[in-house]
Amino acid sequence: MGKKGAKVIATLKDIAKLADVSVCTVSRYLNSDIVIKKETEERIRQAIKELGYVPNVVAKSLKRNETTNVAVILPKIDNLYYAAMTAGIGEILGNHHYNLFIYEVNHLNLDEREVLQLMRENMVAGVIFIGLSYDMSFKDSIQILLDWNIPVVYMNRQIPYNGYPLIYPDFMKAGGLAAEHLRGKGRKRTAFVYKNKSSEFIQSNINAYKDAYPESDELIMIDLDGDMDMDRCVDRLLEEKADSVFVLSELLTANLTKRLIQRGVRVPEDIAAIGFGYSLISEISTPELTCLDFGDKEMGRKGAELILSQIHKKKVEPVTVLPVRLVEREST
Amino acid sequence: MGKKGAKVIATLKDIAKLADVSVCTVSRYLNSDIVIKKETEERIRQAIKELGYVPNVVAKSLKRNETTNVAVILPKIDNLYYAAMTAGIGEILGNHHYNLFIYEVNHLNLDEREVLQLMRENMVAGVIFIGLSYDMSFKDSIQILLDWNIPVVYMNRQIPYNGYPLIYPDFMKAGGLAAEHLRGKGRKRTAFVYKNKSSEFIQSNINAYKDAYPESDELIMIDLDGDMDMDRCVDRLLEEKADSVFVLSELLTANLTKRLIQRGVRVPEDIAAIGFGYSLISEISTPELTCLDFGDKEMGRKGAELILSQIHKKKVEPVTVLPVRLVEREST
DNA sequence: TTGTATGCGTTATCAG
DNA sequence: CTGATAACGCATACAA
């Protein structure tokens, strides 16, 4: 349609012919390492323009045995936190002219080994894993990528160093920030409310909390699993005469706060609420929620830098811990 | 380290040698079109296993002059709607063993032409654009992809057909659903509240509304731009004695509702609120918001199918309009 | 400063 | 049923 039927794709050879030089000279011009005579350069430039030449990075990748594609493997892309991390990753990658592959493992009907094999089949330059706190996925099988010399970054989970760089927010500090904040508000009977968290994750938060606020009462632990629904959770809070909740999820904080108010409990007067996570959820809630900002997007940026450094054969820190921030709002 | 120093990557040639067959036989075995003698097949299988062979899809792509990578170009990935669409796209692509590239154009410091060139450089099999309603990006420059024989789908915007398939929710129907709903609730003085929408978009919503509810009072139009902040918007609603608002954004609906309640207006008793968009925002809000579900994820799925069909040289509908659903909750 | 020749790993076209 | 051999588009060692 456009110009003259099916457009044929111009290659290096075509422009070499048109510019009356060798393929190799054109390649040199494009990758501009070596100097070229001004005159021939002009002919090449003309030919490129005339034929609308676009380089073929697939061929280049094959030849150079490397791509500029980085893969992100995550549990769920339509989740504000993972999306924010992904945005940060994409920003840095874009700045460095790298492309971003997304693999949402929930959708992929493949086992871990197959997903990892996909990475190598596609010759990705590096892989960033975004981990769920209650999910052990890939933690062990990742080794195979290292065997294949594919750089890896593991993001958002505090796990022991195991040969690939880790980057995660300072979850320990989070517990401490919450503790100090609630102490400042004169709260002593705090409940930990959570769902789908590993016991190590819970325990380390408890420790951080107690360290920062040793004179607090014994923590009331509420795991929202099967039997324990939101209403029973509220019952429990009232029975225990809790004066505050520390919820390990922003959405859970919003839902719990809403339920408390429906049940006639005043927030923060009767029970103060503070939650994990800083997105529009805590801002939309009524009352607006005091929450912990884990800097998801910044973590994405930093993680991308970690993967790029490795791709460029630079040494990187084994473990990067990012600062956490407490955002005070109405719910405390 | 792993096994024996730097692991060498096995190629077809290597397994051919080990299995004592020709390269081409191995290739045939892998792509299993033609039948192979049982015995040699077994030798090949053995060799593949022994050498841990993984195919190189970059080489394959070069040879076959096509990839299995689909690009999604969107304004912002850390946005619930676009993320939901992306999730739908990824689900279908994954099922068909296609990979998903993400290009967040806000981040890319490139002009449109360069972004499109990126698509061809990387030999993507197809491109899905996710459009903002107030953004004209790429609408015209897309033609160049068609010239290059790269299939395209344009998602989430109602624009005139221009040579590439369109898929979007039935925005017209949305206005109608809202109108019918408010009529059913006996509301007559409705305000349209919006921000960053094109005048065509506004106008077509007005038309849809009036068609479905002709006996309604004249609509009160409130554009939340520079001067018009949320508080002035509330003032205006009270002055005009509005009994309902139809907000063309879910987040805006949540914020407006919150502000109304802070100002002592009862929702829905004094003013009923209904908004565009169905995500956790409307569920978290107090009161929970009646809203219009545009089926973002499903649109993603359908869009992915559209691109796959084109890649496989099948004819596709020029325009696909997806149904919209009204979700009734507390705010009306 | 430029050209020739080779190969990256794969598929496809021939023969055998 | 199987095997040479030639591409695909590009980068590069080596010559000139």
Side-chain angles (χ1 to χ4, degrees):
Chain A
M1 285 282 159
K3 307 281 156 151
K4 44 182 81 170
K7 233 176 203 173
V8 74
I9 290 179
T11 71
L12 270 192
K13 203 194 292 183
D14 298 320
I15 62 173
K17 195 185 301 176
L18 185 58
D20 196 35
V21 291
S22 78
V23 180
C24 147
T25 304
V26 185
S27 177
R28 280 205 197 89
Y29 164 73
L30 290 171
N31 303 297
S32 65
D33 9 25
I34 308 177
V35 190
I36 295 188
K37 210 206 300 186
K38 208 67 188 164
E39 191 198 37
T40 55
E41 183 177 321
E42 187 48 41
R43 289 212 310 281
I44 293 174
R45 201 198 313 278
Q46 274 296 332
I48 286 177
K49 196 171 174 185
E50 194 170 329
L51 298 183
Y53 172 75
V54 175
N56 182 327
V57 309
V58 173
K60 176 184 292 203
S61 297
L62 175 61
K63 179 64 189 158
R64 308 185 61 155
N65 194 31
E66 64 184 25
T67 67
T68 53
N69 303 331
V70 168
V72 172
I73 295 181
L74 41 66
K76 196 161 158 32
I77 182 67
D78 51 340
N79 167 299
L80 282 168
Y81 312 113
Y82 302 142
M85 294 174 208
T86 304
I89 293 169
E91 178 183 329
I92 300 300
L93 291 185
N95 289 345
H96 290 80
H97 301 101
Y98 273 71
N99 304 306
L100 172 59
F101 270 130
I102 296 285
Y103 293 90
E104 191 174 347
V105 284
N106 277 355
H107 287 162
L108 265 37
N109 305 322
L110 304 169
D111 65 20
E112 295 193 0
R113 168 66 197 236
E114 285 174 302
V115 173
L116 297 179
Q117 183 160 326
L118 226 41
M119 302 299 109
R120 182 165 138 195
E121 288 184 356
N122 288 95
M123 286 180 55
V124 301
V127 182
I128 299 175
F129 290 87
I130 300 183
L132 278 166
S133 62
Y134 57 88
D135 180 16
M136 294 299 139
S137 294
F138 290 100
K139 198 167 70 67
D140 300 314
S141 60
I142 284 179
Q143 179 59 41
I144 197 172
L145 290 179
L146 304 184
D147 288 343
W148 289 335
N149 287 313
I150 299 178
V152 168
V153 167
Y154 205 105
M155 183 180 287
N156 198 42
R157 281 202 55 205
Q158 182 167 354
I159 53 178
Y161 179 71
N162 195 22
Y164 43 83
L166 267 26
I167 180 168
Y168 50 82
D170 195 345
F171 291 117
M172 297 301 88
K173 189 74 183 173
L177 284 173
E180 283 168 20
H181 183 72
L182 290 177
R183 182 173 56 188
K185 298 291 178 180
R187 310 286 169 150
K188 295 197 70 156
R189 294 196 57 76
T190 301
F192 265 44
V193 180
Y194 53 92
K195 185 174 176 178
N196 287 340
K197 300 289 176 192
S198 70
S199 50
E200 308 92 58
F201 189 80
I202 303 295
Q203 191 54 51
S204 55
N205 268 283
I206 293 174
N207 295 341
Y209 195 95
K210 287 184 173 169
D211 281 353
Y213 190 6
E215 66 274 30
S216 164
D217 285 3
E218 190 60 31
L219 289 168
I220 304 153
M221 305 304 298
I222 304 181
D223 185 355
L224 283 161
D225 60 3
D227 327 358
M228 181 59 78
D229 65 4
M230 208 50 106
D231 264 311
R232 289 202 49 196
C233 173
V234 175
D235 291 340
R236 181 83 195 286
L237 292 174
L238 298 178
E239 285 163 19
E240 297 273 4
K241 300 193 193 309
D243 61 15
S244 49
V245 287
F246 179 33
V247 189
L248 306 189
S249 146
E250 188 177 11
L251 188 51
L252 228 50
T253 317
N255 286 329
L256 177 55
T257 305
K258 181 182 263 195
R259 194 60 57 93
L260 282 169
I261 288 170
Q262 285 170 351
R263 297 275 297 263
V265 179
R266 292 171 306 164
V267 178
E269 294 82 353
D270 301 329
I271 295 184
I274 178 171
F276 258 39
Y278 175 72
S279 73
L280 43 75
I281 294 176
S282 48
E283 201 178 331
I284 289 168
S285 294
T286 308
E288 292 182 15
L289 304 174
T290 294
C291 63
L292 292 159
D293 175 10
F294 292 108
D296 308 302
K297 189 162 183 178
E298 182 62 17
M299 181 161 57
R301 293 193 191 97
K302 288 277 199 294
E305 281 162 7
L306 281 174
I307 206 74
L308 289 175
S309 292
Q310 292 183 84
I311 291 170
H312 300 135
K313 310 293 181 195
K314 295 182 197 146
K315 270 281 179 201
V316 298
E317 287 293 317
V319 180
T320 307
V321 180
L322 266 27
V324 176
R325 186 174 67 104
L326 187 141
V327 180
E328 178 169 359
R329 290 198 278 223
E330 301 167 349
S331 70
T332 54
Chain B
M1 297 264 159
K3 305 279 158 158
K4 43 182 84 172
K7 231 174 202 172
V8 73
I9 290 179
T11 70
L12 272 192
K13 204 194 291 182
D14 297 319
I15 62 172
K17 195 185 299 175
L18 185 57
D20 196 36
V21 291
S22 79
V23 179
C24 133
T25 305
V26 184
S27 177
R28 281 204 197 91
Y29 164 74
L30 290 172
N31 304 297
S32 65
D33 11 24
I34 308 178
V35 190
I36 296 188
K37 212 204 305 185
K38 207 67 188 164
E39 192 198 37
T40 54
E41 182 177 323
E42 187 49 40
R43 289 212 311 280
I44 293 174
R45 201 199 313 279
Q46 275 295 334
I48 286 178
K49 197 171 175 185
E50 193 170 328
L51 298 183
Y53 171 74
V54 175
N56 182 328
V57 310
V58 173
K60 176 186 291 204
S61 297
L62 175 60
K63 180 60 190 163
R64 306 186 61 159
N65 193 31
E66 64 184 25
T67 67
T68 53
N69 303 332
V70 168
V72 172
I73 295 181
L74 41 65
K76 198 161 157 33
I77 182 67
D78 51 342
N79 167 298
L80 282 168
Y81 312 112
Y82 302 142
M85 294 173 208
T86 304
I89 293 169
E91 178 183 328
I92 299 300
L93 291 184
N95 289 345
H96 291 79
H97 300 102
Y98 273 70
N99 303 307
L100 172 58
F101 270 130
I102 295 285
Y103 293 90
E104 191 174 347
V105 284
N106 277 355
H107 286 163
L108 266 36
N109 305 322
L110 305 169
D111 65 21
E112 296 193 0
R113 169 64 197 237
E114 285 175 302
V115 173
L116 297 179
Q117 182 158 327
L118 226 41
M119 301 299 108
R120 182 163 140 195
E121 287 184 357
N122 288 94
M123 287 180 56
V124 301
V127 182
I128 298 175
F129 290 86
I130 300 182
L132 277 168
S133 62
Y134 57 88
D135 181 15
M136 295 299 139
S137 294
F138 290 101
K139 199 168 70 67
D140 300 315
S141 59
I142 284 180
Q143 180 59 41
I144 196 171
L145 290 180
L146 305 184
D147 288 344
W148 289 336
N149 286 313
I150 298 178
V152 168
V153 167
Y154 205 106
M155 182 180 289
N156 199 40
R157 282 203 55 205
Q158 181 167 353
I159 53 178
Y161 179 71
N162 196 21
Y164 43 85
L166 266 28
I167 179 168
Y168 51 81
D170 195 345
F171 290 118
M172 296 302 89
K173 189 73 182 174
L177 284 174
E180 283 168 21
H181 182 73
L182 290 178
R183 182 174 56 187
K185 298 290 179 182
R187 310 285 170 150
K188 294 197 73 154
R189 293 198 57 76
T190 301
F192 266 42
V193 180
Y194 53 90
K195 185 175 173 177
N196 286 339
K197 300 288 176 194
S198 68
S199 51
E200 308 93 54
F201 190 80
I202 303 294
Q203 191 54 51
S204 55
N205 268 284
I206 292 174
N207 295 341
Y209 195 96
K210 288 185 174 168
D211 281 353
Y213 190 7
E215 67 274 30
S216 164
D217 286 2
E218 192 59 33
L219 288 167
I220 304 151
M221 306 304 298
I222 304 180
D223 185 355
L224 282 161
D225 60 1
D227 327 357
M228 181 59 79
D229 66 3
M230 207 52 104
D231 264 312
R232 289 203 47 195
C233 172
V234 174
D235 291 338
R236 181 84 194 288
L237 291 174
L238 298 177
E239 286 164 17
E240 297 273 4
K241 301 193 194 308
D243 60 16
S244 48
V245 286
F246 178 32
V247 189
L248 307 190
S249 146
E250 189 177 10
L251 187 53
L252 227 51
T253 318
N255 287 330
L256 176 55
T257 305
K258 181 182 263 195
R259 193 60 57 95
L260 282 169
I261 288 170
Q262 286 171 353
R263 298 274 297 263
V265 179
R266 292 170 306 163
V267 177
E269 294 82 354
D270 300 328
I271 294 183
I274 179 170
F276 258 40
Y278 174 70
S279 74
L280 42 74
I281 293 175
S282 46
E283 202 178 330
I284 289 167
S285 295
T286 307
E288 293 182 16
L289 305 175
T290 293
C291 63
L292 293 159
D293 176 10
F294 292 108
D296 308 303
K297 191 163 181 176
E298 182 62 17
M299 181 161 60
R301 293 194 191 95
K302 288 279 199 294
E305 282 162 5
L306 280 174
I307 207 75
L308 289 175
S309 291
Q310 293 183 83
I311 291 170
H312 300 133
K313 309 294 182 196
K314 294 181 196 147
K315 270 280 177 203
V316 298
E317 288 293 317
V319 179
T320 308
V321 181
L322 265 27
V324 176
R325 185 174 67 103
L326 186 142
V327 180
E328 179 169 359
R329 289 198 278 222
E330 300 167 352
S331 70
T332 55

